[in-house]
Amino acid sequence: MPSTFTQAMATLGAAAEFPNTYVAQWKQRTGGKAIGLFPMNFPAELAHAAGVLPVIIQEDREPITAGRNLLGEFNCGYTRNLADQAALGRLDVYDGFFQADHCIQLLGAVDVVREDEPDKPVYFGQLMSSMGDEWTFPQVLEKMNDFRVELEKFTGRAVSDDDIANSIEIFDENRRLMRSIFDQRRHGDAALAPDQIQVLVKSSMIMDKQEHTELLREVMAEHGPVPRDDRIRVHLSGHFCHAPNPELLKVIEDSGAIVVDDDLFHGTRYVSTDVGSTDDPMAALASVYLRRNSAVPCPTRVQHDVDWDRFLVDSVIASGAQGVIVLMAKFCEPHMLFYPELRKALEARSIPLLLIETEHEGLPLESIRTRVEALVERIRRKQLTTV
Amino acid sequence: MSAPTLANSNKLVIPTATNMVGDYWDNLFTAKERGKQVVWYNGSAVNPFFQAAGLEWCHGEAFSARLAAQQLEKPAQLAGEEYGYIGELCSYARTHLGCAVLTKQARSEDETGIVGLVDQQELASRLPAPDFFVNAYAGCSTGQQWDEISYRVFGKQVPIFNVSLPFLPGNKPDAGYLSGEEWDQASGYVADQLYKLVEFLETMTGRPFDWDALRQNMSYIKRASELRREAMALCRAAPTPATYWDWIASIAHINFMPAGPELVQYFTDVKAEVQRRLDNSTAGVRNERYRLYFDGIMNWNKLGWLSRKFADADVAVVCGRYTHNAFWQEPHLIDTEDPILGMAQHYLLCPTNHGVKTLKYLTNRDCVDYGIDGIVFHASRTCRAFTNPQHLLAKSAQKELGIPSMFFEGDVADASFYKDEILESRLAAMLEGIDVRRSRI
Ligand code: SF4
Ligand code: SF4
């Protein structure tokens, strides 16, 4: 008989692997509507408060076919895959689409969705990405209010402040639990492999939050802490919008490395910051947008006084990671722009670094294995010489 | 693959033209010697503010484009590569960030007395280091992030001001070109920020801002723009007296040259020359048989090559998104007494700042107005902002107007992405298709 842990992981894994099936079943079960969200900053709490299921659309595993003729081959894999999903009807399960981020490649993909789902609302409320201006906060608050109004129009029902506060608490609880898993990993627990952690995060982006929280509790209750072995400790950095390929994560751990921390969107970044209890939930949602970027800086934002490079070095020191593997979605412009700053900061601290570019299809896993093994070897030798 | 000839292209020559653009750059290179403050900026044409504030200005894309057009971009790109920039990054940003690295090195070499490579010196030391940055990038997120990185390359010691320009997605049912609630709200929001920009400039210069000078600047720009639009409209005639390449040749003028009587004179002369050609039946392409629309940002490395290439195939490229739907293209929006709102609106009207609904409207409108037979899409490898909507635009033109299109690959400032054989074979195929279609009518 499978353990509760195994059963819960299987349920979460199914949602992560087949989001559309989960969404269709949820709609059937509840009679509710589901909206597709584009990463990375839409306030899903508001949608939850409006009674709809907010789902962050995931990159799927299908090869890109029709999407090839909709966006350039030099767009990131996530946006090309989105275009493909839209063109081939794989987004039909959603009743509407909402977006808050203005990455230029994502805007292109959303235009394709708009074109292919002409009868459904596609709403873009641009959350300002220049974070430090005196008008940033009022602007962000205004956008949050726009989202609320649009969601009210979409569902045909008013959303009260109490509804929003309630949803915030539900989301915060889920984040707290997930964070505790990340904390444990940082402090020496090797119980969950990176691909399993990714299942937890991905499913949290898809499922009804309370349902997810229950399953998460089961996962946590059943797995006892497992002490780390002597594999080389690495930090995974980068990879926005979509999850790194699980086979790639396996290759990293099979090559003699163990992941102890990350700043991935499908990881620490997603759960980094709570909204907190408040009398003014709209202001709280606006403020968390800003606070999240201070907690885990993101190069898609412009904030002069926070540094992703400094954050990375501090994280590495805090977790005791011995090296950094940068996972860069090929063609991801914000990441390409910031990468030299990371490289400089890590080199200054003599922290070994490996850059792996990822693609939607055709990932050269064997050559990646060789490169990760070389990194591991380099770190081992460094260890020996410093002993 | 064949090299283009000079036989069929008939470039617009303005007999009275001076070397405005060359003089501008030479002037900029000596800014520091003359004790002037220098601002580096990207994106929208906020230069009239700088001019009114008594500053010298360097537009990042313009400098990268200039280097590429002169085939001088390599040293900057190599410096960028060495610093860690990947070759798939926007080649404007990559070139300019490479310049930033070199400029910074040159500055420290000045201090240390170490002399760098000659070609690096050539590029880097000539570009004066910024006293501050202003970013006002519409549409493309890369533009905004690029300046943030420049700020970091200079050790976060050079002040920076960001104007946030919202994208115009066309969410609401009333959203349209120059109309709807989305347009009104965004216009007001940006106008408010421009007042803040003025305050920032006052702080940077230590002088009160000269509002009269701004009004004056904008009256010159408005007039220049009207003349440019009128001259463009004359090219609805077939054969066209001037081509897209001629409009490309005057982009620098309308985009970042100082506002003044010379600017107005330049476009007066352009219009007069286009009119003269029209009156004399002088064509921009000697044997015009096809009229095409060009969509995409310019491939600066290949400017002359492309103009001759199309002309060799009897193609007049008549208009395009980059020339006709950008650069102060709606002069009626400018109130010269109170220019801020109209300026804000132009910054929002960047052709990469619209959702595809508006872009379809603009492209199809111009295709009808200019009697276009087909569209050529420059799939510029590292500029996703321009390439994003191209496939949807191609489908729309085919569906709405029955106009075919072709794609060719290249880039704004990186010659390695250009594939001549692809352009040649696809162009031949499209022109054949146009012939077949004509024979059926
Ligand atoms: S941030 Fe990167 S991964 Fe996300 S849509 Fe933009 S380019 Fe793609
Ligand atoms: S990608 Fe294109 S629009 Fe964006 S910054 Fe580069 S050249 Fe400008």
Side-chain angles (χ1 to χ4, degrees), chain A residues 104 124 126 129 304 307 333, chain B residues 90 144 152 156 171 388:
Chain A
I104 187 62
F124 173 40
Q126 185 175 341
S129 49
H304 310 321
D307 304 305
E333 204 94 28
Chain B
C90 161
Q144 192 180 46
R152 285 164 193 271
K156 291 175 124 191
N171 283 323
N388 262 337

Side-chain angles (χ1 to χ4, degrees), chain A residues 55 61 125 317 347:
Chain A
V55 179
R61 305 295 294 268
I317 292 168
E347 272 172 6

Side-chain angles (χ1 to χ4, degrees), chain A residues 67-76 102-109 111-116 122-126 128-130 133-136 139 142-143 146 150 153 299-310 328 330-341 343-344 355 357, chain B residues 80-91 93 97 137 139-142 144-146 148-149 151-153 156 160-172 185 189 193 196 199 352-357 359-360 379-392 395-396 409:
Chain A
R68 270 184 219 288
N69 294 323
L70 290 165
L71 289 177
E73 54 165 305
F74 34 78
N75 266 51
C76 73
H102 111 287
C103 169
I104 187 62
Q105 301 192 31
L106 191 56
L107 288 175
D111 260 338
V112 174
V113 174
R114 215 185 267 276
E115 191 86 353
D116 278 299
V122 179
Y123 188 80
F124 173 40
Q126 185 175 341
M128 288 304 138
S129 49
S130 176
D133 300 319
E134 63 191 69
W135 53 90
T136 306
Q139 263 299 309
E142 195 181 312
K143 291 296 158 193
D146 286 351
E150 289 300 319
K153 259 195 250 163
T300 63
R301 310 288 124 179
V302 165
Q303 188 164 0
H304 310 321
D305 57 350
V306 308
D307 304 305
W308 189 23
D309 42 348
R310 196 177 56 199
M328 182 188 285
K330 195 164 181 202
F331 306 121
C332 175
E333 204 94 28
H335 204 172
M336 287 190 281
L337 274 165
F338 212 99
Y339 173 69
E341 302 303 308
R343 195 176 83 154
K344 227 176 25 180
L355 168 67
E357 281 189 303
Chain B
E81 198 181 311
E82 205 175 301
Y83 194 73
Y85 297 113
I86 291 166
E88 297 288 350
L89 177 65
C90 161
S91 54
L97 284 165
Y137 223 104
C140 181
S141 51
T142 302
Q144 192 180 46
Q145 287 147 9
W146 158 13
E148 178 66 15
I149 295 297
Y151 169 73
R152 285 164 193 271
V153 168
K156 291 175 124 191
I160 178 164
F161 186 91
N162 273 84
V163 182
S164 288
L165 298 170
F167 188 80
L168 303 171
N171 283 323
K172 305 249 167 104
Q185 270 180 3
Y189 171 52
Q193 291 179 69
K196 299 282 182 200
E199 285 172 21
T352 57
N353 202 42
H354 304 287
V356 83
K357 184 176 144 204
L359 287 177
K360 285 199 282 197
S380 35
R381 173 80 179 202
T382 68
C383 179
R384 284 85 182 166
F386 258 96
T387 50
N388 262 337
Q390 289 182 324
H391 289 278
L392 297 180
K395 282 206 314 196
S396 157
E409 283 148 41

Side-chain angles (χ1 to χ4, degrees), chain B residues 53-358:
Chain B
L55 297 158
E56 303 276 355
W57 56 95
C58 174
H59 189 243
E61 298 96 306
F63 193 63
S64 298
R66 181 173 171 82
L67 290 178
Q70 297 175 329
Q71 325 288 332
L72 289 175
E73 75 282 10
K74 269 287 158 233
Q77 290 179 358
L78 283 175
E81 198 181 311
E82 205 175 301
Y83 194 73
Y85 297 113
I86 291 166
E88 297 288 350
L89 177 65
C90 161
S91 54
Y92 270 170
R94 210 165 5 111
T95 310
H96 193 236
L97 284 165
C99 290
V101 170
L102 293 174
T103 303
K104 195 168 166 253
Q105 275 172 12
R107 212 165 49 166
S108 57
E109 281 164 5
D110 271 357
E111 283 155 17
T112 58
I114 303 165
V115 179
L117 293 173
V118 176
D119 52 359
Q120 292 187 355
Q121 284 270 313
E122 173 71 13
L123 289 170
S125 60
R126 293 193 79 195
L127 195 61
D131 292 293
F132 54 95
F133 300 103
V134 171
N135 183 274
Y137 223 104
C140 181
S141 51
T142 302
Q144 192 180 46
Q145 287 147 9
W146 158 13
D147 269 348
E148 178 66 15
I149 295 297
S150 306
Y151 169 73
R152 285 164 193 271
V153 168
F154 279 96
K156 291 175 124 191
Q157 279 158 7
V158 178
I160 178 164
F161 186 91
N162 273 84
V163 182
S164 288
L165 298 170
F167 188 80
L168 303 171
N171 283 323
K172 305 249 167 104
D174 73 345
Y177 184 62
L178 307 183
S179 65
E181 191 189 326
E182 180 178 290
W183 168 246
D184 293 337
Q185 270 180 3
S187 306
Y189 171 52
V190 175
D192 289 347
Q193 291 179 69
L194 296 181
Y195 287 107
K196 299 282 182 200
L197 170 63
V198 167
E199 285 172 21
F200 173 77
L201 295 179
E202 288 182 324
T203 312
M204 289 297 113
T205 58
R207 293 185 293 271
F209 185 73
D210 188 342
W211 284 98
D212 284 339
L214 182 72
R215 289 186 198 104
Q216 180 71 270
N217 292 345
M218 289 316 297
S219 67
Y220 290 127
I221 287 175
K222 178 173 180 164
R223 186 67 200 125
S225 171
E226 285 165 350
L227 291 160
R228 176 174 173 265
R229 297 297 304 181
E230 286 158 14
M232 282 173 158
L234 295 175
C235 298
R236 289 175 187 172
T240 182
T243 67
Y244 173 81
W245 314 108
D246 295 317
W247 302 120
I248 286 282
S250 65
I251 275 190
H253 302 74
I254 194 69
N255 189 24
F256 63 93
M257 287 299 102
E262 313 76 34
L263 186 70
V264 175
Q265 189 57 51
Y266 175 78
F267 283 105
T268 305
D269 295 345
V270 167
K271 187 184 165 198
E273 182 59 17
V274 174
Q275 184 66 56
R276 193 191 62 76
R277 282 175 164 231
L278 195 58
D279 297 343
N280 296 343
S281 302
T282 309
V285 168
R286 290 198 175 86
N287 184 22
E288 175 185 307
R289 285 203 296 140
Y290 310 95
R291 295 168 69 83
L292 299 187
Y293 180 94
F294 191 96
D295 187 277
I297 200 162
M298 198 50 229
N299 183 330
W300 293 105
N301 295 96
K302 292 281 163 193
L303 179 52
W305 172 280
L306 286 174
S307 70
R308 296 191 290 274
K309 191 103 196 165
F310 282 94
D312 277 358
D314 300 338
V315 169
V317 182
V318 184
C319 55
R321 175 152 56 121
Y322 190 52
T323 45
H324 286 55
N325 289 309
F327 310 112
W328 305 115
Q329 71 274 36
E330 300 288 358
H332 71 279
L333 295 175
I334 303 283
D335 173 352
T336 49
E337 284 310 301
D338 185 9
I340 292 286
L341 182 65
M343 295 175 83
Q345 291 178 323
H346 273 95
Y347 302 150
L348 288 164
L349 287 181
C350 170
T352 57
N353 202 42
H354 304 287
V356 83
K357 184 176 144 204
T358 299

Side-chain angles (χ1 to χ4, degrees), chain B residues 420-440:
Chain B
D420 198 48
E421 55 283 16
I422 291 183
L423 169 64
E424 205 157 277
S425 60
R426 295 198 184 149
L427 181 61
M430 182 169 77
L431 298 182
E432 256 172 50
I434 293 171
D435 287 339
V436 170
R437 192 165 151 251
R438 280 178 180 163
S439 68
R440 287 208 197 105

Side-chain angles (χ1 to χ4, degrees), chain A residues 268-284:
Chain A
T268 306
R269 189 179 294 284
Y270 177 62
V271 294
S272 71
T273 316
D274 286 342
V275 184
S277 65
T278 166
D279 295 338
D280 186 350
M282 295 310 288

